[in-house]
Amino acid sequence: MNDPGIATALLMGGFVLLMLLRVPITFSLALASIATATYLNIPLMAIVQQMVQGVRSFSLLAIPFFIIAGEMMGRGGIARKLIELANVLVGRVRGGLAMVNVVESMFFGGISGSAVADVASTGTIMIPLMKEAGYDDDFSVGITVTSATQGIIIPPSHNMIIYSVAAGGVSVGRLFLAGFVPGLLLGVSLMAISYILAIKRNYPRGSKYTLKQAVKIFGDAFLGLMTAVIIMGGVISGVFTATESAAVAAVYAFIITFFVYREIPLKEFKGILYSTLKTLTMVMALIASASAFSWLMAYLRIPAKATELLLGVTDNRILLLLLINVLLLFLGMIMDMAPLILIVTPILYPVIVGKLGISPIHFGIMLMLNLAIGLCTPPVGSALFVGCAVGRIPIERATRAMLPMYAVMFIVLMLITYIPEITMFVPNLIMPGG
Amino acid sequence: MKRWLLSMVNLVHILLINVSKVLLIGMLLIVFANVILRYVFNSGIMWSEEVALLFEVWFIFLSLGLGVKHRLHMSINLLQRESIPSWLNRTLDTLADIVFIIVGAVMIVYGIRLTQFTMRSIMPATRWPAGVLYLVLPFSGVLVVVESLLHIAGWNMFDEEIDKYLSGKGGSLKDIFRSRP
């Protein structure tokens, strides 16, 4: 009594049903795996072993280090310093504060890979500031939320590490490098739409700085931005692995936050550790149960069947990529990032990399951008929710104001999907091969 | 009796949160020290990766158990709490608790078997038995099961107060344990 068709339905259907019934995703994955293994007479010992082996990975160790570094910098007031720096750089343009918002998120993304953290710490400063200067509140929330997603694409990004592990060990260094240009492209496009809207709605210019002020602001932010330099420098030069550079960056962030910037006392470190723990619980436990789940998916040859199914719909490369993007955008609307990466990567990897011959690096960036858009869309969009909570406006109003930004993000997604050079140029130049 | 039980559960929770913090810092320092030793003194620590990964596994599974108390695990909220009747909310909450208990029970039973099974194999660098790696499974399973049972029973576990205390936002443990459940 072990029909693979029934087992597949049990695994996938059980998971989706439990998840829709509001059972946490980690446990939905685990129970669906347990039920399927029982049906297939696979010893449950293998399932629990798979859960442990799935997280016993040196690459994954980078995630706690990146998150703790970002948390310390965030609480230590880095956002305000980066906002001032961005203000010096782009504040004078019409719609200056919107530009500042985007550029700040670019910098912030170089330190922390969490869009939600960016919305929370940047939004609390920028949204009231923009409202005061005469920007519409829904526009202010919209630009804060959409620009924060740059953090996922601009390295370092812990979601890229999750992808690297889910894809079976894609080079984290190359992934990081590949994120630069797409991240910048997204930022510049968001600035362009802000500029157009700013002229139409007559949003003001920002304030002027003297050279002396500018130098001081740059010096202040410089030490924080060094975190990004350490990480990227270490990974690119091959001196550190991504995990090691994350550890060095975390120690560096500790020293900068508590002994140089000193905006918060050392005793707050305990609270920072606790909130890091809470964030990590959500991400890491999920990887454990997802690895048992994807092991069973591979056992049941679900990725191969999905490939056949997709190729059965169309074997036109352009249409297939469009179809996959639409599918990912839809899934991104209802699910959070980390679980989607863990479940979707093993299923789509054979089609995209095996059949279409697309580089795993290119696919990784495509996936990140798709899911980044998902973070800004209802009904489930954590960045959007935090942004609306900070800006105190209803979600429906924010999404209506964000329509032009969604359009921009979609155009960027299409460019990145169909022009691989945008993504692949930098990694091929700096870290060829692999 | 009830009060004693609640205090015990909360004390264990706080203790394990602190253990997790130590594991987190431990991993960080091991990897960091290894980098420094390798590039500055040209000699790495042989066992660094193995121990860091052991800490990682323990850390993750402890947090899996600890996350149940504060309902930290992500779920998708298509059935939003505010927009459905309260009996349905209660039913869904209980369903989640039952799922927790089944998964927790599997972790306990098969975690113990797996630990026994692998106790005789040896990890290469540290020479520790490989079972140490899996020993965390039953621990984590117990945390999951106990927290879910208490949640079904609907006891006031002072979760918010504990969370506030652990975040460093005030409140003292004494007050939490003195108040009547």
Side-chain angles (χ1 to χ4, degrees), chain A residues 7-133:
Chain A
T8 304
L10 190 60
L11 186 70
M12 304 305 279
F15 161 62
V16 171
L17 182 69
L18 286 169
M19 190 173 64
L20 290 179
L21 291 174
R22 229 168 54 194
V23 176
I25 300 173
T26 306
F27 288 88
S28 306
L29 288 166
L31 187 64
S33 307
I34 290 168
T36 310
T38 312
Y39 175 75
L40 289 169
N41 293 323
I42 294 172
L44 288 182
M45 213 158 81
I47 297 297
V48 292
Q49 185 174 27
Q50 205 57 44
M51 284 174 74
V52 172
Q53 290 302 336
V55 288
R56 194 171 164 273
S57 137
F58 198 67
S59 302
L60 283 182
L61 264 182
I63 297 175
F65 303 163
F66 279 139
I67 289 180
I68 196 172
E71 190 86 30
M72 282 189 286
M73 294 302 248
R75 291 257 202 122
I78 191 71
R80 208 176 36 73
K81 295 185 172 63
L82 296 178
I83 287 170
E84 284 190 359
L85 178 62
N87 213 346
V88 171
L89 295 174
V90 291
R92 283 296 292 152
V93 198
R94 179 157 297 281
L97 283 180
M99 309 289 167
V100 168
N101 202 327
V102 178
V103 171
E104 192 273 346
S105 295
M106 223 176 255
F107 293 144
F108 196 94
I111 295 172
S112 152
S114 165
V116 175
D118 186 14
V119 176
S121 52
T122 309
T124 26
I125 306 171
M126 281 309 288
I127 294 172
L129 213 61
M130 287 176 78
K131 278 196 224 170
E132 211 174 288

Side-chain angles (χ1 to χ4, degrees), chain B residues 10-49:
Chain B
N10 279 335
L11 267 181
V12 169
H13 181 83
I14 292 166
L15 178 77
L16 288 178
I17 290 277
N18 284 314
V19 171
S20 302
K21 286 182 185 171
V22 171
L23 289 173
L24 180 61
I25 295 176
M27 306 189 275
L28 184 59
L29 289 182
I30 290 172
V31 175
F32 182 72
N34 194 38
V35 176
I36 298 296
L37 285 175
R38 197 171 53 199
Y39 291 107
V40 183
F41 301 101
N42 239 332
S43 68
I45 315 168
M46 263 248 296
W47 46 263
S48 70
E49 187 166 331

Side-chain angles (χ1 to χ4, degrees), chain A residues 104-434:
Chain A
E104 192 273 346
S105 295
M106 223 176 255
F107 293 144
F108 196 94
I111 295 172
S112 152
S114 165
V116 175
D118 186 14
V119 176
S121 52
T122 309
T124 26
I125 306 171
M126 281 309 288
I127 294 172
L129 213 61
M130 287 176 78
K131 278 196 224 170
E132 211 174 288
Y135 291 79
D136 298 301
D137 51 359
D138 49 2
F139 171 80
S140 310
V141 169
I143 195 71
T144 305
V145 170
T146 44
S147 72
T149 60
Q150 289 174 96
I152 294 159
I153 299 154
I154 291 176
S157 153
H158 62 264
N159 285 300
M160 284 190 193
I161 297 169
I162 299 179
Y163 167 75
S164 150
V165 171
V170 174
S171 155
V172 175
R174 274 168 63 83
L175 269 173
F176 277 9
L177 286 171
F180 267 120
V181 179
L184 285 177
L185 181 64
L186 179 61
V188 171
S189 312
L190 286 172
M191 283 202 270
I193 188 75
S194 303
Y195 185 72
I196 296 171
L197 292 174
I199 289 185
K200 233 169 84 180
R201 300 180 191 170
N202 208 9
Y203 291 146
R205 292 169 195 276
S207 45
K208 219 172 183 171
Y209 287 86
T210 63
L211 185 68
K212 206 174 146 203
Q213 282 171 314
V215 169
K216 182 174 179 305
I217 287 169
F218 181 77
D220 239 16
F222 174 76
L223 285 171
L225 283 174
M226 273 302 285
T227 320
V229 177
I230 291 176
I231 295 169
M232 288 317 292
V235 175
I236 294 170
S237 64
V239 174
F240 315 138
T241 61
T243 304
E244 288 170 341
S245 71
V248 174
V251 173
Y252 176 79
F254 178 80
I255 294 169
I256 292 296
T257 305
F258 292 107
F259 299 102
V260 181
Y261 284 163
R262 285 189 296 197
E263 286 188 15
I264 49 171
L266 190 55
K267 71 171 196 291
E268 277 206 25
F269 185 58
K270 263 175 79 177
I272 289 179
L273 274 179
Y274 180 62
S275 60
T276 308
L277 233 60
K278 282 163 84 173
T279 310
L280 286 172
T281 300
M282 295 191 265
V283 180
M284 304 297 272
L286 188 70
I287 300 176
S289 62
S291 62
F293 186 82
S294 67
W295 184 75
L296 279 170
M297 281 202 300
Y299 180 89
L300 289 166
R301 301 192 56 251
I302 292 175
K305 283 176 202 154
T307 307
E308 274 169 39
L309 192 75
L310 278 170
L311 288 177
V313 177
T314 171
D315 55 2
N316 178 312
R317 187 190 165 88
I318 293 173
L319 282 181
L320 201 55
L321 279 174
L322 187 66
L323 182 70
I324 288 169
N325 274 318
V326 171
L327 183 76
L328 287 174
L329 283 174
F330 171 73
L331 290 173
M333 286 170 96
I334 48 175
M335 267 174 89
D336 235 314
M337 257 192 111
L340 258 183
I341 297 172
L342 288 162
I343 296 160
V344 156
T345 305
I347 295 181
L348 291 182
Y349 195 85
V351 193
I352 299 213
V353 178
K355 292 282 172 193
L356 295 181
I358 286 170
S359 153
I361 308 285
H362 183 197
F363 175 48
I365 303 299
M366 248 172 73
L367 183 64
M368 293 301 132
L369 191 53
N370 265 305
L371 305 189
I373 298 174
L375 285 183
C376 313
T377 49
V380 180
S382 40
L384 174 68
F385 291 174
V386 175
C388 288
V390 172
R392 295 206 190 80
I393 61 169
I395 289 161
E396 297 76 39
R397 252 188 73 209
T399 36
R400 221 171 304 133
M402 281 161 75
L403 286 176
M405 296 160 207
Y406 291 140
V408 164
M409 291 176 101
F410 186 75
I411 293 169
V412 172
L413 174 66
M414 288 296 111
L415 289 175
I416 284 167
T417 304
Y418 292 110
I419 312 176
E421 286 75 21
I422 299 176
T423 313
M424 299 306 294
F425 175 70
V426 177
N428 283 344
L429 189 75
I430 300 180
M431 278 175 90

